Amino acid sequence: MDVSGAGGWDEAPWKKLCAEELEKQYTPSKWTVRLGAEETLKTFSQIGSQAWPFLVFVHGGYWQYGSKDESAFMVNPLTAQGVAVVVVAYDIAPKGTLDQMVDQVARSTVFVQKRYPCNEGIYLCGHSAGAHLAAMMLLTNWTKHGVTPNLRGFLLISGIYDLEPIVSTSVNAPLHMTLEGARRNSPQWHLEAAPVKPADPACPVLVIVGQHDSPEFHRQSREFYQRHASSHFPAQTLCTRGWKASFEELHDVDHFEIIWNLTQEDDVLNQVEPWPFPLVAAIHSGQHGPFSPIEFEEGSF
Ligand SMILES: N[C@@H](CC(=O)c1ccccc1NC=O)C(=O)O
């Protein structure tokens, strides 16, 4: 078939247009009827940047088991109430080292900020080893990441904040942490060593432990939150470091029930009172959502 325009075909209509008119024809924003071109493009580019609150969840599993795919259990109660939920993937041991996992969670948080710059706050929530990784974000120097995430709250559930005791347990077999590596990745020790102050002093940090968590888990949470007379740590704690921290022992739950309960819409963690976060206001205002869960692989940005 002859498509050249020769051989009896009419000349293609667009060929009759001058360069300027052709340009206009192929610039859709010049044809909008309600908003101006610039405003339309700006509005459109923000469709994917809605002003939602984001809950970024970091799963536990002693840095060696668990995955994002098994850890989306809190998505429905939260998305139903207008909170976008991000379930973070990170390379567990033996593939990943503690340093890498900490960096991956930082980069995942930065991803959310860059992808959704209009977010109404990023709330970091972690369970167990995930609470440790989330807690490391309290001490992250964001300048090297090019953006400071809009962190508005931390929910640290049954976490470990001093990794030194872990070095002496079987948990360390696949982790290969040295004492130095353990300290480097211990938020409890960073509170003392690094002169990091909260970027937003109003950012609340809720440290939660289950009533039936072991005494060592209780001690870890309490001492991260606030110094006790018997503490062997240096003087700094979340409270003395200027964080708006609070501590909660959740009644009659163990290390696992404390997080299973997040699947329940009427669970205490999903209700107003123990959450000192503005997230609660967003959850209960009903002005957001419903939304789909957002999941992404670290490194996809
Ligand atoms: N091996 C551990 C399991 C464990 O600690 C765990 C399991 C699932 C999710 C979190 C866990 N702990 C910390 O990250 C245990 O037997 O208790």
Side-chain angles (χ1 to χ4, degrees), residues 61-161:
Y62 267 157
W63 309 276
Q64 55 204 274
Y65 26 75
S67 70
K68 70 171 174 60
D69 298 319
E70 302 158 71
S71 306
F73 41 81
M74 84 303 295
V75 166
N76 288 343
L78 289 172
T79 54
Q81 299 181 75
V83 179
V85 182
V86 175
V87 184
V88 177
Y90 56 93
D91 287 332
I92 54 175
K95 187 176 179 211
T97 64
L98 253 296
D99 292 281
Q100 285 167 337
M101 294 178 222
V102 170
D103 188 53
Q104 288 175 343
V105 174
R107 284 160 53 206
S108 297
T109 310
V110 162
F111 167 90
V112 174
Q113 181 61 39
K114 287 185 174 168
R115 179 70 181 77
Y116 300 97
C118 301
N119 71 73
E120 281 188 351
I122 298 174
Y123 299 84
L124 266 176
C125 175
H127 171 234
S128 198
H132 157 265
L133 294 169
M136 288 296 280
M137 301 306 109
L138 293 164
L139 306 155
T140 300
N141 183 348
W142 299 104
T143 49
K144 74 165 182 176
H145 294 280
V147 69
T148 299
N150 182 21
L151 289 168
R152 296 268 186 87
F154 286 80
L155 182 58
L156 308 176
I157 306 170
S158 291
I160 295 169
Y161 309 103

Side-chain angles (χ1 to χ4, degrees), residues 18 40 178 288 296:
C18 67
T40 297
T178 60
H288 306 284
F296 65 94

